[in-house]
Amino acid sequence: EVMVLTYGATISSVKAPDRRGSLGECVLGFDEETSYAATWPRGDATCPYFGCAAGRVANRVANAAFSLDGKDYKVKANNGAHHLHGGGVGFDKKRWAVVEATDTALTLALRSPDGEEGYPGCVDARITYSLPTPTSLKIEYAATTDAATPLNLTNHSYWNLEDGGATDVLGHVVRVNADLYTPADDESIPTGEIRKCAGAMDLSKPKALGDNIYDTDQGKGYDHNYVLRETPGADGLRTVATAWAPKSGRVMRVRSTEPGVQVYTGNYLDGSLRRRDGGPAYARHAGVCFECQKFPDAVHQAHFPSIILRPGETYAQTTVHDFGTAASKAAAFGEE
């Protein structure tokens, strides 16, 4: 059971059965649409981006500037000196138009005019959310442009497979299909290095997120881009991650066309937000994001996968979330 808002093309609710068959909330969000807009003035670090479509460029652009085809561009700095998730009024703060809606699919469209947030070119974007099976959520993105422009879209849902954010996700057991990641500085800007995962940064084998979360780079929790190891299969998808909640038994497996995934453990949630008045507060680490994407700050790193979209090309991305249950860690991760 999935609820999507036209505001920000936002996933506001995903309910899936636990091991006893009871439907329960699996994402952080708000019951009232107006609550999403109310969070944006909170400031650079504390805007949560619950469930939204992030763009034109998800993640960060260093110093809110880039050069393209010999011309310099300045985009909105909304994360200190840097540009985050499309800037001050990104795709997450736009009202998307409904193109088509059925019982199992919703297609939304957005036109981003030339110059918006400082980006060149008029971009026409579409997102289709669908339920191809009773246990799968599929997100398909498409976009075109009339001038060369950076484009890197993702969904920013915070997942909590135990209780939708009433407690933290430190007990969630996670495996990410990556042996490498892109280290970042203290302002979350990639250094350009592609480094082998080790210690707390290694999620290649199933481990509880809380095992050594404060031994991660920067010591605040996970907020890092992982380089996915697998080449896409015949369906164009590669394995991204698996997450298992031991108490509820819920399992989520993520697959995507994208080469990277930003794993983020809600490090800046502070207990001031809640789904509804009187509901549980979303405290630090109340959710974990798996933001399928190309790499952060790719406009400044020539060896990262390119995020430049040109006229005549079509941007395309697909990410699939498959849900189930498992009675044990071994069952959840196919180790039985």
Side-chain angles (χ1 to χ4, degrees):
E1 184 177 306
V2 179
M3 180 176 293
V4 177
L5 305 177
T6 57
Y7 184 82
T10 297
I11 296 174
S12 63
S13 176
V14 177
K15 293 181 179 178
D18 63 13
R19 62 164 59 97
R20 293 173 293 278
S22 299
L23 277 180
E25 187 60 70
C26 295
V27 297
L28 279 61
F30 303 114
D31 284 349
E32 298 296 329
E33 183 182 293
T34 54
S35 297
Y36 289 90
T39 65
W40 305 130
R42 290 165 52 86
D44 293 344
T46 57
C47 289
Y49 297 93
F50 286 154
C52 70
R56 271 185 210 194
V57 174
N59 219 304
R60 289 161 179 86
V61 175
N63 300 310
F66 62 91
S67 297
L68 177 59
D69 295 340
K71 186 175 180 180
D72 296 334
Y73 294 91
K74 186 70 177 175
V75 290
K76 173 71 174 179
N78 65 319
N79 189 238
H82 311 297
H83 177 88
L84 176 66
H85 293 324
V89 185
F91 287 9
D92 58 294
K93 301 174 186 69
K94 297 289 188 177
R95 178 75 62 184
W96 292 61
V98 176
V99 175
E100 185 177 6
T102 70
D103 289 343
T104 58
L106 173 68
T107 298
L108 302 173
L110 179 71
R111 171 162 286 184
S112 176
D114 178 36
E116 186 169 62
E117 295 298 300
Y119 285 106
C122 177
V123 168
D124 285 306
R126 288 194 177 202
I127 302 178
T128 297
Y129 298 96
S130 65
L131 305 175
T133 75
T135 58
S136 297
L137 168 62
K138 188 176 188 179
I139 310 173
E140 298 169 280
Y141 307 77
T144 58
T145 182
D146 65 1
T149 189
L151 190 76
N152 189 21
L153 305 181
T154 195
N155 177 267
H156 206 286
S157 288
Y158 292 66
W159 299 93
N160 186 317
L161 303 177
E162 294 287 16
D163 48 34
T167 60
D168 64 47
V169 293
L170 299 185
H172 280 48
V173 180
V174 167
R175 180 177 63 200
V176 177
N177 190 36
D179 299 311
L180 305 169
Y181 74 108
T182 54
D185 64 19
D186 289 343
E187 295 182 340
S188 297
I189 302 301
T191 63
E193 179 186 0
I194 296 177
R195 182 184 297 173
K196 184 174 177 57
C197 300
M201 297 305 300
D202 187 1
L203 295 173
S204 63
K205 294 181 174 59
K207 65 182 286 187
L209 286 171
D211 278 358
N212 49 0
I213 192 169
Y214 299 122
D215 293 327
T216 52
D217 294 359
Q218 287 79 46
K220 298 176 182 178
Y222 293 96
D223 191 8
H224 303 88
N225 173 66
Y226 284 82
V227 179
L228 298 172
R229 74 165 72 102
E230 197 173 271
T231 56
D235 59 359
L237 303 176
R238 50 167 61 86
T239 301
V240 175
T242 300
W244 175 61
K247 294 178 183 177
S248 71
R250 293 188 184 96
V251 180
M252 182 178 73
R253 298 178 177 90
V254 185
R255 296 174 291 140
S256 181
T257 54
E258 297 306 277
V261 61
Q262 186 89 1
V263 178
Y264 173 54
T265 46
N267 308 331
Y268 298 106
L269 296 174
D270 59 7
S272 63
L273 301 175
R274 57 192 75 221
R275 179 169 285 278
R276 66 186 69 86
D277 288 346
Y282 294 141
R284 191 181 191 189
H285 308 315
V288 57
C289 303
F290 299 101
E291 303 163 51
C292 299
Q293 58 176 11
K294 294 184 173 65
F295 303 169
D297 199 34
V299 291
H300 293 124
Q301 304 292 347
H303 58 294
F304 286 3
S306 175
I307 63 168
I308 304 304
L309 180 68
R310 297 184 179 277
E313 299 175 344
T314 298
Y315 171 92
Q317 186 214 132
T318 299
T319 297
V320 177
H321 300 263
D322 297 307
F323 299 89
T325 61
S328 67
K329 173 182 169 183
F333 293 92
E335 298 172 346
E336 289 187 342

